[in-house]
Amino acid sequence: MDFRIYGVTILLFLFPTLTFSISQGQINSNSILVALLDSHYTELAELVEKAMLLQTLENTVMNNSNNITIFAPRNEALERDLDPDFKRFLLEPRNLHSLQTLLLSHIVPKRITKPEFKTGSTRHRTLASHHHLTLQALNLTHWNVESSRVINPNSVTRPDGVIHGIDTLLIPRSVQDEFNRRRNLISIAAVKPEPSPEVDPRTHRLKKPAPASPAGAPPALPIYDAMAPGPSLAPAPAPGPGGSHKHFNGEKQVKDFIETLLHYGGYNEMADILVNLTSLATEMGRLVSEGYVLTVLAPNDEAMAKLATEQLSEPGSPEQIMYYHLIPEYQTEESMYNAVRRFGKVRYDTLRLPHKVTAQEADGSVKFGHGDTSAYLFDPDIYTDGRISVQGIDGVLFPPQEEEAAGPVTRAQPAKVVVKQRRGKLLETACWMLGSFGQNSRFISCQ
């Protein structure tokens, strides 16, 4: 019993084509279909399998007494010379019928061998419905099939058929029309909805839509209108799908500059606040995707370590601190230094309205802020890509009215100022009573 099992196993391994024939029970190992699968026309054989035409061709071979003739394109015609878009169209599952029509148009349900090629042209019906092939013999050694040349006649011959090699793929007109129809629909397959036309009430004419902004053009809305709601609004709304620009991959650019901060060293606290403690990294990425530009004044780890725990534990305080370090302009170390050298003091807008940050020239560098809470441009141009600029500074900046809350600051004692007290309701009533009786008091001053 064991010997018979091992004998059958060896037989199946040595004769796979014979196994295929036995399992199907319809064709033998000497069939033209088996020869096509084992031939050097591998691209065509692969397409036949993907089009699920093996069973159809088996039935044709078994039921057709005249055999079949296959005009097989060379592998280069299907691999390199074919339009990639057309090949992608053929391999899409929804276009299976077009692929089957294309392959069946290369098969004639009769045997055509080299001696039967005659001078002139003959027309033969193919397995594809309503499709015929025109064979034309130019001379005794050259033949054409439609617009393709037979380069290897009688490449494979079997009792039930023959394969002729041709140099190009034969594309039926119906398949070409279907491809053109699909390709033309691609541009309108996902048309964005447009509102109905508006009529100007003054002129009673249709308003002309605004022209589309070119790539790289600044957004129409100010950056403050595009920002996400602040932490005072809770819960925050879900992020929307974005605007209509999307000329830039803002999420990737923000990820790149944060990775640059980490690799640069000394700015881990800043990166941690942007990514983990707040959602500013996501918001910055959305702004850059919409076409906005940003300059980040990044305090180093030594400066961030001086912040008190209470300054970061208050709700919304990390966002407010970081907003004051984001300038809605694209500035480099050179542009800011040239500006302060020329104008003395320059005030830059920040994303924390209505506060501005002041920059001035000091010791051959740029100094931000004023007083004891100022910071110098310490590491210039850590990251510059045309949309995001990161400049390292050696201190944490605060708006002027928050300098006292930022930390203990030594100040000179101001001169004593006499403040005029506001008269209360009782004092006003006493003066009215004295005035009514025409009396004065040396204890109450009604002036």
Side-chain angles (χ1 to χ4, degrees), residues 216-239:
L221 290 176
I223 190 172
Y224 307 103
D225 295 339
M227 290 171 54
S232 60
L233 297 179

Side-chain angles (χ1 to χ4, degrees), residues 208-428:
K208 294 183 179 180
S213 58
L221 290 176
I223 190 172
Y224 307 103
D225 295 339
M227 290 171 54
S232 60
L233 297 179
S244 59
H245 295 285
K246 295 299 180 183
H247 298 314
F248 311 98
N249 190 348
E251 289 77 8
K252 182 179 183 301
Q253 290 179 266
V254 171
K255 180 181 178 182
D256 289 343
F257 102 74
I258 292 178
E259 290 180 352
T260 303
L261 280 179
L262 298 177
H263 292 311
Y264 192 88
Y267 293 90
N268 296 334
E269 295 294 334
M270 176 75 175
D272 184 63
I273 290 179
L274 291 177
V275 177
N276 299 325
L277 197 57
T278 66
S279 60
L280 291 182
T282 303
E283 184 176 352
M284 292 170 63
R286 186 175 63 85
L287 291 175
V288 175
S289 297
E290 296 292 336
Y292 298 95
V293 294
L294 294 172
T295 297
V296 183
L297 303 179
N300 55 18
D301 290 344
E302 184 178 354
M304 298 294 292
K306 298 178 182 179
L307 289 177
T309 307
E310 295 79 8
Q311 293 175 294
L312 294 177
S313 60
E314 291 293 331
S317 59
E319 288 87 349
Q320 297 300 329
I321 294 176
M322 291 296 102
Y323 279 146
Y324 193 64
H325 291 74
L326 299 180
I327 300 175
E329 302 177 19
Y330 184 78
Q331 298 286 345
T332 62
E333 186 267 343
E334 181 180 2
S335 65
M336 288 189 292
Y337 184 73
N338 291 338
V340 296
R341 282 292 302 272
R342 180 178 181 182
F343 302 106
K345 285 188 177 181
V346 180
R347 302 186 68 192
Y348 293 106
D349 291 329
T350 66
L351 294 190
R352 184 174 180 180
L353 284 175
H355 304 294
K356 300 177 182 289
V357 61
T358 304
Q360 57 184 330
E361 191 270 339
D363 302 329
S365 180
V366 182
K367 178 182 176 182
F368 298 97
H370 51 276
D372 295 332
T373 59
S374 60
Y376 285 86
L377 204 162
F378 190 69
D379 291 318
D381 297 340
I382 297 177
Y383 181 88
T384 52
D385 65 351
R387 311 300 303 177
I388 300 176
S389 173
V390 181
Q391 308 294 327
I393 58 178
D394 61 353
V396 181
L397 302 175
F398 290 92
Q401 61 267 32
E402 296 186 3
E403 291 181 358
E404 186 176 353
V409 179
T410 304
R411 298 179 181 274
Q413 292 294 333
K416 186 175 181 180
V417 179
V418 179
V419 181
K420 185 177 180 180
Q421 296 182 355
R422 181 178 180 272
R423 298 191 300 181
K425 194 69 175 175
L426 180 61
L427 183 62
E428 293 178 359

Side-chain angles (χ1 to χ4, degrees), residues 119-244:
T119 304
S121 60
T122 55
R123 191 171 176 84
H124 300 273
R125 179 178 60 87
T126 65
L127 293 182
S129 59
H130 309 292
H131 187 267
H132 295 75
L133 288 181
T134 301
L135 307 182
Q136 184 178 11
L138 302 180
N139 51 49
L140 296 177
T141 57
H142 295 84
W143 301 272
N144 285 348
V145 180
E146 296 293 339
S147 59
S148 180
R149 183 168 58 92
V150 179
I151 57 176
N152 193 2
N154 297 322
S155 176
V156 179
T157 57
R158 291 293 186 270
D160 56 353
V162 60
I163 299 177
H164 301 295
I166 57 179
D167 62 345
T168 59
L169 181 68
L170 305 177
I171 304 177
R173 184 59 180 269
S174 60
V175 177
Q176 184 67 44
D177 293 342
E178 182 66 20
F179 169 66
N180 294 335
R181 196 177 304 111
R182 294 281 188 182
R183 181 171 54 182
N184 294 335
L185 288 176
I186 291 177
S187 59
I188 62 174
V191 176
K192 295 181 179 180
E194 296 182 358
S196 58
E198 298 182 6
V199 178
D200 191 345
R202 296 174 300 177
T203 61
H204 299 284
R205 295 181 180 179
L206 293 178
K207 291 183 179 180
K208 294 183 179 180
S213 58
L221 290 176
I223 190 172
Y224 307 103
D225 295 339
M227 290 171 54
S232 60
L233 297 179
S244 59

Side-chain angles (χ1 to χ4, degrees), residues 12 15-29 31 33-34 37 49 54-55 58:
L12 297 178
F15 303 101
T17 57
L18 181 59
T19 305
F20 175 80
S21 303
I22 295 175
S23 62
Q24 297 295 329
Q26 294 182 355
I27 60 175
N28 54 37
S29 59
S31 172
L33 298 181
V34 178
L37 298 178
E49 292 182 355
L54 287 177
Q55 187 65 40
E58 290 174 12

Side-chain angles (χ1 to χ4, degrees), residues 21-66:
S21 303
I22 295 175
S23 62
Q24 297 295 329
Q26 294 182 355
I27 60 175
N28 54 37
S29 59
N30 201 29
S31 172
I32 190 63
L33 298 181
V34 178
L36 174 64
L37 298 178
D38 295 338
S39 66
H40 59 276
Y41 300 105
T42 55
E43 292 292 329
L44 178 64
E46 183 179 354
L47 289 180
V48 170
E49 292 182 355
K50 289 182 177 180
M52 298 182 292
L53 288 177
L54 287 177
Q55 187 65 40
T56 302
L57 296 179
E58 290 174 12
N59 298 335
T60 303
V61 171
M62 295 301 299
N63 300 329
N64 188 11
S65 59
N66 295 327

